[in-house]
Amino acid sequence: MALRRLAGRILLHRVASLPPPRPPPAFLSSESRGHLLLRFSTSSSTPPHFMVQYLVSSCGLSPAEAAEAAPRFAHLDSASRPDAALAFLRSQGLSRAQVRAVVSCKPKLLLSDVEATLRPKFRAVRAVGLSRADVARLFALYPPALTFGVHTNLLPRILFWLDFLGSAKLLMKWLNKTWLLMYSVDILLRNLFTLRALGIPDSRITTTVRLQPTLIMQSAAKFQRLVGRVEACAVPPSSGMYMWAFFTLHNVSESAFPAKKAAVMGAAGCTEEEFDAMFRRAPCFMFLPAELLQRKVEFLLATAGCDTKYIVNNPVLLTLSLSKRMVPRCRVIETLRSRGVDIGKTNLRSIMRWSEAKFVERYILRYKQEVPELLELYPPRHG
């Protein structure tokens, strides 16, 4: 909480003190850009600028990348400033691959003043508790962070995620998967406020966002559309499944959802209200492809002895593997019956939901002497 309050204070100070935004500098026309690229390209009849070879040999860029980046250094007549920037990055523990990642993403960082621009950022991130190796990795994974103001963007974003995720380990894990620092803290806080305003407890929000931080890394408009999609599925914010529905719809596009819904409703013969009830109980079944959902429903109806009402009340069945769980278990029961083994009353609907250990103990290990082929039909495994 202390880190969150600190991030909030930094954010408020930023909003109050920042001058009005200035218009961006004019970009080169496409014609001028073409002339520059021609000048710096190694294929031109003009001798290439020395920075082309420098970017290849010192930074690890490909010749094509170097030729594209070289116009940014047109004014240089020596490599003294790039040398200083590279030397500093390497002194901070960045490997050659990490240096290449930084320079290929943001070539102009080679023009940075080390003491005024680069060193303060490394020092600030180290000060919040990240190791030297993690700081190097952070900037290599998200080079734009080296262009952030220390107190206006860099620290607020890092402090927000450290506080929210709870550890530097999780911060680095998610940085490796997504550009976690891309969105400003005010956007993230606004999206969190939207969820809290619905009455969703912080504990549920935190649990789900830690599973997928991109849930709150969205524009306000996109986030509100997602809230509206959950509402359209009749999932109330008071439900313990609300955040799982939110999580699911974040990962299932607006175009894919109707096809999956139609596949389930068509195969099960259920109404829209019944489908909404299924979604409220186990939203994550909608991660599966429409064709697989249809096959699972058909199997449950035709083979496992389920009816539509049972599937509607137990949609978690649709999250179980058809090839590794449902079909093999049915084969085991059929084999035991065909061999005349008295297994008592069996309910395939319930057996599908048994834990792996319970099923193996009850039907595989118990009868392996009488029906040894059971171990081939259903080899014991964890799960």
Side-chain angles (χ1 to χ4, degrees):
M1 289 301 294
L3 287 175
R4 185 175 296 168
R5 287 195 295 271
L6 176 59
R9 287 198 296 270
I10 293 172
L11 178 61
L12 289 174
H13 173 73
R14 170 171 64 103
V15 172
S17 61
L18 280 180
R22 292 179 296 179
F27 290 99
L28 293 171
S29 69
S30 57
E31 182 180 0
S32 298
R33 184 180 180 88
H35 284 313
L36 278 172
L37 282 173
L38 181 63
R39 176 187 169 193
F40 289 101
S41 171
T42 55
S43 63
S44 170
S45 58
T46 305
H49 191 273
F50 73 91
M51 281 299 294
V52 174
Q53 182 57 40
Y54 183 94
L55 291 168
V56 173
S57 59
S58 298
C59 305
L61 272 63
S62 70
E65 290 172 324
E68 183 176 356
R72 296 171 174 84
F73 308 97
H75 61 288
L76 293 184
D77 55 14
S78 79
S80 58
R81 177 157 283 198
D83 278 344
L86 276 184
F88 174 76
L89 292 175
R90 289 166 181 156
S91 75
Q92 300 303 302
L94 274 75
S95 66
R96 181 173 174 83
Q98 289 174 328
V99 167
R100 182 192 180 283
V102 168
V103 176
S104 64
C105 180
K106 293 290 179 180
K108 290 190 71 172
L109 285 169
L110 290 179
L111 300 175
S112 301
D113 182 287
V114 169
E115 297 304 322
T117 304
L118 297 179
R119 193 181 299 279
K121 291 172 178 133
F122 280 82
R123 185 185 298 122
V125 180
R126 285 296 304 275
V128 300
L130 270 67
S131 69
R132 182 172 182 268
D134 280 346
V135 174
R137 190 170 170 224
L138 180 147
F139 287 123
L141 289 171
Y142 190 63
L146 281 169
T147 68
F148 290 170
V150 171
H151 298 291
T152 55
N153 275 308
L154 182 62
L155 280 182
R157 297 185 194 198
I158 291 175
L159 288 170
F160 173 88
W161 286 113
L162 276 175
D163 185 28
F164 200 93
L165 297 174
S167 71
K169 182 178 180 181
L170 278 177
L171 171 67
M172 299 312 299
K173 169 190 171 182
W174 280 107
L175 273 171
N176 193 47
K177 294 183 176 183
T178 186
W179 278 21
L180 197 67
L181 304 179
M182 180 169 59
Y183 284 87
S184 65
V185 173
D186 52 342
I187 290 176
L188 303 174
L189 291 176
R190 182 171 60 232
N191 290 339
L192 288 175
F193 177 81
T194 297
L195 294 174
R196 289 169 179 148
L198 293 171
I200 302 167
D202 275 1
S203 58
R204 291 180 189 165
I205 296 173
T206 301
T207 297
T208 316
V209 174
R210 283 182 178 178
L211 284 176
Q212 191 172 19
T214 53
L215 281 172
I216 58 172
M217 293 169 57
Q218 306 178 59
S219 68
K222 188 174 180 180
F223 197 82
Q224 289 293 345
R225 284 201 304 272
L226 187 53
V227 170
R229 290 178 64 198
V230 180
E231 183 179 351
C233 290
V235 184
S238 58
S239 168
M241 287 288 114
Y242 184 91
M243 285 306 299
W244 294 115
F246 198 88
F247 177 88
T248 300
L249 293 178
H250 174 64
N251 290 282
V252 179
S253 70
E254 292 182 72
S255 59
F257 190 88
K260 297 183 181 190
K261 179 178 178 178
V264 172
M265 290 179 59
C270 63
T271 65
E272 286 225 16
E273 291 74 17
E274 288 174 323
F275 175 85
D276 287 344
M278 293 174 67
F279 186 78
R280 287 194 296 271
R281 292 185 176 104
C284 291
F285 74 80
M286 289 295 282
F287 282 124
L288 301 172
E291 180 185 358
L292 182 55
L293 285 170
Q294 179 178 334
R295 285 168 49 207
K296 285 188 177 185
V297 172
E298 290 170 350
F299 177 85
L300 290 169
L301 291 171
T303 306
C306 300
D307 56 22
T308 297
K309 183 178 179 181
Y310 189 84
I311 296 173
V312 168
N313 290 331
N314 297 274
V316 71
L317 288 169
L318 298 182
T319 67
L320 304 178
S321 172
L322 185 63
S323 61
K324 295 180 181 180
R325 187 183 187 114
M326 292 197 283
V327 170
R329 289 191 182 188
C330 282
R331 285 175 179 164
V332 166
I333 299 303
E334 290 170 359
T335 299
L336 289 170
R337 286 173 171 164
S338 69
R339 294 289 296 273
V341 178
D342 183 9
I343 57 175
K345 292 184 178 180
T346 59
N347 184 333
L348 284 174
R349 302 180 307 181
S350 299
I351 287 172
M352 296 299 175
R353 299 187 61 175
W354 284 7
S355 70
E356 190 74 4
K358 181 178 179 181
F359 180 80
V360 169
E361 174 65 29
R362 177 67 179 82
Y363 291 108
I364 306 299
L365 300 181
R366 178 178 293 188
Y367 301 111
K368 66 179 181 180
Q369 300 299 327
E370 298 172 68
V371 190
E373 63 264 33
L374 291 177
L375 292 173
E376 295 180 11
L377 284 173
Y378 201 94
R381 54 191 177 271
H382 299 290

